[in-house]
Amino acid sequence: MDQSKEQRILNSVSYNAVKGDPESVINCIDKYCSQYEWAMNVGDEKGTILDKVVEEADPSVALELGTYCGYSAIRIARLLKPNTRLLTIEFNPEFASIAKEIIEIAGLSEKVTILEGHSEDIIPQLKKKYEVETLDFVFLDHWKERYAPDTILLEECGLLRKGSILLADNIIYPGAPEFIKYIRSNKRFECTSYPSHLEYMKVEDAMEKAVKDPGAAAMLF
Ligand SMILES: Nc1ncc2ncn(CCCCCNC(=O)c3cc(-c4ccc(F)cc4)cc(O)c3O)c2n1
Ligand SMILES: [Mg+2]
């Protein structure tokens, strides 16, 4: 049976990356996907935006929707403080198991929990089954048509607090028009657009940050 592209990415990381060094895993995946096979990792240009927003959020509990090979999970988890955690949801079992191995090579298995399933099924379980109170940071990188309904679901499940930060990938390409319409017209969120490029390509793309009730936190003091 021929290997999948994701298996070939794992082979490259396993052979070339320095065990326990997240930066070397990130660089290895970016090198492989720009030189040999394109893959839908957030990449280094948008990854730098992700890094800055994660540092701004300084989350105790972070959620990622759409793990894929674990590239963005590693970018997020390498910036997390001790005793903080990232939960990441992936429904494709092959991707979930490849991501688990790549996250292990990066030495970040303690900080990252991969939850296998559909976001719409797992989000309602986060409070009770995964002992989440509220989410400080959410990275949306799964089905683009699920960005808006899952943001509403996170709200309905009481998982967002004043100051929770959402960051969404692929606002231009493939695009998430319903999400943009929803989030920019919702007075509870303050939105910022970060123009960039599609991973490993010269195609325009962007990320959207949405902070819930930003002013409210400031008004308390
Ligand atoms: N509900 C639920 N719950 C849990 C889940 N886990 C996985 N999924 C499904 C996720 C399926 C992959 C999502 N990501 C993308 O589709 C994506 C695509 C491109 C792209 C593609 C072709 C081009 F020519 C150009 C650009 C680039 C990106 O950066 C992308 O992120 C889930 N869904
Ligand atoms: Mg993406």
Side-chain angles (χ1 to χ4, degrees), residues 53-64 76 80-87 126 131-140 154 158-167 189 209-212:
V53 176
V54 171
E55 284 166 347
E56 172 194 343
D58 187 19
S60 298
V61 184
L63 174 68
E64 173 182 64
I76 295 166
L80 294 181
K81 301 236 165 71
N83 303 316
T84 64
R85 59 185 172 136
L86 169 67
L87 302 171
L126 291 178
E131 298 175 74
V132 174
E133 254 179 69
T134 53
L135 297 163
D136 306 305
F137 175 76
V138 183
F139 181 47
L140 297 97
L154 287 167
L159 285 161
L160 300 181
R161 58 158 172 87
K162 289 178 183 18
S164 287
I165 296 180
L166 309 181
L167 183 67
F189 288 93
K209 181 176 78 171
V211 185
K212 186 175 173 195

Side-chain angles (χ1 to χ4, degrees), residues 85 87 113 115 122 125-132:
R85 59 185 172 136
L87 302 171
T113 307
L115 309 176
I122 294 189
Q125 300 176 327
L126 291 178
K127 283 209 176 223
K128 288 206 173 68
K129 190 168 176 188
Y130 299 99
E131 298 175 74
V132 174

